[in-house]
Amino acid sequence: MAVFTPVPRDNLDAFWQGFELPALVGYEGITAGTENSNYKVLTADRPYILTLFEKRTDPLELPFFASLMQHLAFRGVNCPLPVADKTGELVGRLCHRPALITSFLDGASLRSWQPVHCFSLGQSLAAMHNAAADFTGTRENKLSVAGWQELLKGCEKADEVKPGLLALLHQEMTVLEAAWPKDLPRGVIHADLFPDNVFFNGEHVSGLIDFYFACTDFFAYDLAICLNAWCFEDHVAFNITKAQQLLRGYVSVRALSVEERLALPLLCRGAALRFLLTRLYDWLHPKGGKPRDPREYLKRLSFHQQVQSITEYGLAA
């Protein structure tokens, strides 16, 4: 979350009148995050979150994201519930930006976490996948294999970051394109469930947020993204205890098929490459702010390239 678009009080008052909501008391920007502008809005009854979607988000895709969150919330997933205006619309406009009001979730994201948190995360991820099973909306994963090729075209100067990196990326793309699975269980996934998108109360997940990369893809690929995001320490050493607890939490709610277990090492390679490429692209094409170092995910990719079985992530094959 972040604030890129300032919202004057008069504009917010006028926008608020379009909803059957408690009286507006005040609001404040939420400074964390990188994609959209977010505000915590205080009312006479309870707080809400106001999100203004910046230029990187396609407005035509916002109804998908909003209806997905509504669907998940109605099925018991603790995620933001979009609020419809008086005409029944979920997405409006404020300060020349598409805008969405959602419920406020208790809890906070963690700066550091233990295996017990990973277990709860695995349970929550599996519960989300189960709840999304009957969601009828679909959205192509634009950051899957075909999308990686497009990103790679913009990374011709990769060797400025690390000598030989461009050749390594082309080689890895060749391997993944040839071996990428085609028929694993699939549905709507979060696709960006990093620690700043998960709230905890104590040891337990209290909410999942930021569904604006959600798409239709393999459930196990979502799990691979979480293994990359949650199971490496700051010095990029793999923590098998955290991985084991993440996977055990997941399979306690949703079983992994034999095919998913066999494919997980390759999916982890793909997830590492996806975030390596997006970070590398942003590093080479900065648009303001400090881009994240892509070499962190190069090290994670190197680890996954050596993995032969799910047992090396701590779960029986």
Side-chain angles (χ1 to χ4, degrees):
M1 296 182 176
V3 175
F4 303 101
T5 299
V7 176
R9 177 62 186 257
D10 289 348
N11 296 66
L12 182 56
D13 283 335
F15 182 71
W16 207 256
Q17 292 303 310
F19 295 82
E20 295 285 354
L21 289 171
L24 177 64
V25 173
Y27 63 108
E28 58 187 9
I30 300 173
T31 57
T34 59
E35 293 292 332
N36 300 308
S37 296
N38 291 275
Y39 292 85
K40 181 179 180 181
V41 182
L42 306 177
T43 74
D45 182 27
R46 68 191 70 170
Y48 292 85
I49 294 293
L50 167 67
T51 299
L52 276 66
F53 297 93
E54 302 298 337
K55 295 179 181 179
R56 192 167 182 174
T57 304
D58 184 351
L60 296 178
E61 294 183 326
L62 292 179
F64 169 85
F65 301 132
S67 59
L68 171 63
M69 288 188 285
Q70 188 179 64
H71 176 96
L72 294 175
F74 287 163
R75 279 158 179 74
V77 175
N78 202 7
C79 68
L81 175 62
V83 178
D85 66 16
K86 293 176 181 177
T87 70
E89 295 294 324
L90 295 175
V91 182
R93 288 195 70 81
L94 175 62
C95 296
H96 309 291
R97 296 282 188 271
L100 181 70
I101 297 173
T102 64
S103 60
F104 179 84
L105 299 181
D106 289 326
S109 57
L110 302 176
R111 292 190 176 183
S112 63
W113 49 92
Q114 301 302 319
V116 66
H117 299 109
C118 294
F119 186 87
S120 183
L121 170 69
Q123 290 181 311
S124 297
L125 179 66
M128 189 204 80
H129 289 165
N130 286 340
D134 61 344
F135 180 65
T136 58
T138 61
R139 176 179 178 266
E140 177 190 2
N141 185 357
K142 298 177 182 178
L143 292 172
S144 188
V145 181
W148 301 340
Q149 284 286 16
E150 290 303 311
L151 282 169
L152 189 52
K153 292 176 183 177
C155 296
E156 287 128 358
K157 297 182 179 180
D159 288 357
E160 295 179 2
V161 175
K162 181 178 176 63
L165 178 56
L166 185 60
L168 183 151
L169 292 172
H170 280 289
Q171 181 179 4
E172 185 67 7
M173 275 298 312
T174 300
V175 172
L176 292 177
E177 282 184 322
W180 200 249
K182 302 218 172 19
D183 56 358
L184 297 179
R186 63 190 295 124
V188 174
I189 67 172
H190 187 284
D192 194 41
L193 206 54
F194 276 66
D196 55 350
N197 290 332
V198 182
F199 288 171
F200 284 84
N201 275 328
E203 296 177 344
H204 300 287
V205 171
S206 62
L208 308 178
I209 66 168
D210 201 351
F211 283 79
Y212 305 116
F213 284 97
C215 56
T216 306
D217 210 325
F218 303 137
F219 294 130
Y221 180 60
D222 220 9
L223 188 54
I225 291 172
C226 288
L227 283 166
N228 274 283
W230 290 80
C231 301
F232 288 83
E233 302 303 330
D234 290 341
H235 48 84
V236 202
F238 181 66
N239 188 317
I240 192 170
T241 306
K242 289 181 178 179
Q244 181 184 62
Q245 291 305 304
L246 173 60
L247 291 169
R248 285 183 175 178
Y250 188 91
V251 300
S252 73
V253 176
R254 177 186 173 270
L256 285 172
S257 69
V258 172
E259 292 77 14
E260 287 175 304
R261 290 171 183 250
L262 291 172
L264 193 61
L266 186 77
L267 296 175
C268 284
R269 283 174 70 169
L273 180 66
R274 174 259 191 265
F275 289 101
L276 168 58
L277 284 171
T278 50
R279 289 188 177 192
L280 178 61
Y281 185 91
D282 290 344
W283 187 275
L284 296 172
H285 306 276
K287 297 180 180 178
K290 183 179 180 180
R292 289 168 290 189
D293 192 338
R295 289 169 292 191
E296 174 185 342
Y297 269 85
L298 177 59
K299 293 178 182 178
R300 298 182 191 197
L301 174 60
S302 298
F303 171 82
H304 295 303
Q305 287 173 329
Q306 308 306 313
V307 173
Q308 299 297 315
S309 165
I310 195 174
T311 59
E312 295 177 63
Y313 297 129
L315 193 68

